[in-house]
């Protein structure tokens, strides 16, 4: 896995500037239309027919033309608005509320007898968050942070290979992008997970590890509780899913927070 | 008013900036603790895998090693090895073509014993073969080890950044599958069977990741269909404007 930074170059212009620009263009267009209609009116008044007799006829023709233009503008405008809103993907929630409690005192008796031996993950499935992905294996970048998927593999989930394998005792760490510069990515919906939701991981040894979500929490990236997230105090098989959340900083080119899903091994097959 | 000397002004500003910078830069905090983790994978078909974590606090360390699939009811020597390539040996390390990577053949990869992960007493190099002070696997083949101690002399906390954890002992290689036996002798001690010191599991220590993860491009943080929405809104505004204009044009 090469080191991924392309997700962090500044994305396309945010909505506000183009909104102002398009509005200005639209206004000028609208007014020139109005002016045309007006000049049409003055041109007609030069005809030989006495204006007093024709005023009623002209008035009704004019009215029809205006009505036609106004109706098309309303219909077209509403259609475009609807299309734009349908295409809209809601951003990762900036008003996220932590859910559940991290499992710090759960049944230690289950591990390590229930825990599985080392075997790297091959795929991940989370029906409750529409996740279905093959698994990359990543290390750390020069900054000491977990390497993120890039290029052709941008939208894959990735297991941090110095963490335990899913199902092994300890905290196994899987990361994924929340979005790219084009749209939603593999972990787009994981912040919507709730305690009790299930996570399925397939391993190279053919076994499956099933985890249950304990908690979903957000942390400032600048004040990230690395020990809590990357390590497990208990000798118990746990899983962490990490993606971005909170507000996107245009200047830093990154999200301000990380969303972390904490889960505990429920069963293996 | 007296004309301010430009030179002295510049000198003054530079001095102030210099002082401010000097007082800020040393704040680069030196971390007092670090955790390293390793995935132990099998060597020599042992079937032993597990994890190790080493948490430092100055020269004091807490080491946890948990393995499964270890030879049951037997003692397993385990060490932190430093000074090699910081990696685990692959099958190519079997230079004498015995079919096994022995302890000596692994040295170019994982280095020398620097810390002996004993259950009590010395943790130095002198305890490397202290068979009576290493953890025993339970009946299911699980080894669970936790110990807090001060690093032996000659080893610094920073050395752990390029270190490997190795656990030894595979009873199934020769003769009785549940005992360290068989004719071949250990490559590191004539007093021990090859099985007792054969490398069983190995993993490179890696510091836990720094901070969070940069997992977003930002596309869904804004309004992606802004042009479409703007065009629609503009059309509606124009329609409104026309309604007003029509009223004026018709009724004047
Ligand atoms: Cu060793």
């Amino acid at each position: 896995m090469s080191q991924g930074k392309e997700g962090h170059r500044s994305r396309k212009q945010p909505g506000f500037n183009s909104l102002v620009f398009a509005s200005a263009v639209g206004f000028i267009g609208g007014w020139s239309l109005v002016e045309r209609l007006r000049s049409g009116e003055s041109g007609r008044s030069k005809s030989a027919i006495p204006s007093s007799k024709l005023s009623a006829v002209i008035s009704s023709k004019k009215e029809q033309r205006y009505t036609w233009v106004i109706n098309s503008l309303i219909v077209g405008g509403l259609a475009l608005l609807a299309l734009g809103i349908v295409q809209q993907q809601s951003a990762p929630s900036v008003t996220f509320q932590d859910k559940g409690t991290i499992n710090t005192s759960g049944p230690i008796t289950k591990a390590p007898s229930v825990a599985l031996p080392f075997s790297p993950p091959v795929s991940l499935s989370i029906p409750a968050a529409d996740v279905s992905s093959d698994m990359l294996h990543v290390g750390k970048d020069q900054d000491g942070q977990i390497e993120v998927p890039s290029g052709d593999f941008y939208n894959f989930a990735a297991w941090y290979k110095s963490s335990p394998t899913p199902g092994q005792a300890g905290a196994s760490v899987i990361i994924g992008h929340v979005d790219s510069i084009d749209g939603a990515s593999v972990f787009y919906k994981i912040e919507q997970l709730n305690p009790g939701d299930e996570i399925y991981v397939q391993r190279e040894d053919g076994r499956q590890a099933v985890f249950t979500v304990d908690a979903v929490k957000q942390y400032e990236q600048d004040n990230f509780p690395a020990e809590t997230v990357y390590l497990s105090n208990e000798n118990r098989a746990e899983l962490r899913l990490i993606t971005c959340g909170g507000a996107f900083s245009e200047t830093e080119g990154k999200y301000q927070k990380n969303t972390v899903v904490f889960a505990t091994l429920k069963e293996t097959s | 008013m007296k004309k301010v000397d430009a030179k002295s002004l510049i000198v003054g500003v530079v001095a102030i900036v210099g002082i401010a910078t000097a007082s800020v830069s040393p704040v680069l905090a030196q971390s007092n603790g670090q955790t390293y983790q390793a995935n132990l994978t099998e060597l020599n078909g042992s079937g032993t895998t597990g994890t190790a974590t080493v948490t430092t606090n100055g020269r004091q360390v807490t080491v946890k090693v948990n393995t499964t699939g270890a030879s049951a009811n037997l003692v397993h020597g385990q060490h932190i090895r430093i000074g090699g390539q910081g990696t685990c040996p692959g099958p190519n390390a079997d230079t004498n073509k015995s079919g096994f990577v022995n302890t000596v053949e692994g040295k170019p990869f994982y280095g020398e014993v620097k810390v002996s992960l004993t259950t009590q007493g010395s943790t130095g190099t002198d305890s490397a073969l202290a068979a009576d002070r290493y953890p025993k696997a339970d009946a299911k083949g699980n080894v669970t080890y936790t110990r807090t101690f001060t690093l032996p002399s000659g080893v610094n906390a920073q050395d752990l950044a390029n270190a490997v954890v190795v656990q030894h002992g595979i009873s199934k290689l020769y003769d009785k599958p549940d005992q360290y036996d068989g004719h071949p002798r250990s490559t590191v001690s004539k007093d021990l069977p090859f099985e007792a010191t054969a490398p069983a599991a190995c993993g490179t220590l890696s510091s836990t990741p720094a901070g969070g993860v940069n997992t977003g491009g930002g596309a869904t943080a804004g309004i992606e269909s802004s042009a479409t929405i703007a065009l629609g809104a503009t059309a509606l505004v124009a329609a409104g404007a026309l309604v007003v204009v029509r009223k004026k044009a018709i009724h004047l």
Side-chain angles (χ1 to χ4, degrees), chain B residues 78-79 81 103 113 166-168:
Chain B
Q78 49 182 19
H79 316 107
R81 311 189 67 126
T103 303
V113 171
V166 180
Q167 193 176 72
H168 304 259

Side-chain angles (χ1 to χ4, degrees), chain B residues 1-163:
Chain B
M1 200 184 117
K2 227 182 181 179
K3 204 172 137 192
V4 180
D5 180 359
K7 244 185 204 168
S8 63
L9 192 69
I10 289 167
V11 169
V13 168
V14 168
I16 290 166
V17 170
I19 289 162
T21 311
S23 62
V24 167
S25 49
V27 180
L28 286 171
Q30 52 176 51
S31 66
N32 49 0
Q34 176 70 61
T35 300
Y36 298 88
Q37 53 186 156
N39 264 325
L40 307 186
T41 55
E42 70 166 10
L43 287 176
N44 295 316
S46 66
T48 306
T49 64
T51 55
T53 59
V54 181
T55 303
T56 67
N57 182 8
R59 292 189 53 78
Q60 182 175 288
V61 293
T62 297
V63 180
K64 294 183 184 180
V65 180
N66 290 298
T67 56
T68 60
S71 301
N73 301 314
L74 293 171
V75 164
H76 292 272
Q78 49 182 19
H79 316 107
I80 295 175
R81 311 189 67 126
I82 297 167
Q85 299 167 19
T87 60
C88 292
N92 294 344
D94 178 22
T95 46
N96 70 0
K97 306 290 177 202
S98 67
F100 299 112
V101 174
N102 64 48
T103 303
V104 174
E105 286 169 335
K107 277 186 186 178
F109 301 88
Y110 49 54
E112 301 285 343
V113 171
K114 291 291 181 186
V115 182
S116 295
L117 299 175
T118 53
T119 51
Q120 55 183 319
S122 159
T123 56
T125 314
D126 55 328
S127 296
L129 294 169
D132 55 333
R133 288 190 286 121
Y134 282 111
K136 215 178 202 181
D138 67 13
K140 289 176 181 168
N142 297 321
V143 178
T144 307
Y145 172 84
T146 304
R147 188 175 174 191
T148 300
F149 55 90
T150 301
L151 285 171
S153 60
V155 182
N156 296 312
Q158 302 92 287
D159 298 336
L160 297 170
N162 189 33

Side-chain angles (χ1 to χ4, degrees), chain A residues 7-8 11 26-27 34 67 69 87-89 91 118 140 144-145 161 163 176-180 183 221 227 230 243-244 248 258, chain B residues 35 39 41 49-50 206-207 209-220 222-226 228 230 232 234 237 242 245-246:
Chain A
H8 314 304
R11 64 203 171 85
F27 242 101
V34 168
T67 308
V69 171
Q87 284 175 347
Q88 186 68 18
Q89 288 163 322
F118 176 91
K140 285 182 295 186
Q145 291 187 302
K161 63 189 180 188
S163 73
H177 286 288
V178 69
D179 63 10
S180 62
Q221 285 201 36
E227 301 266 307
Y230 296 129
T243 194
C244 281
F248 188 84
N258 276 131
Chain B
T35 300
N39 264 325
T41 55
T49 64
S206 175
S207 57
V213 184
N214 285 335
T215 39
T220 62
I223 302 167
E224 351 11 318
S225 306
S226 52
T228 314
T234 310
V237 168
L242 274 181
V245 168
R246 179 176 67 171

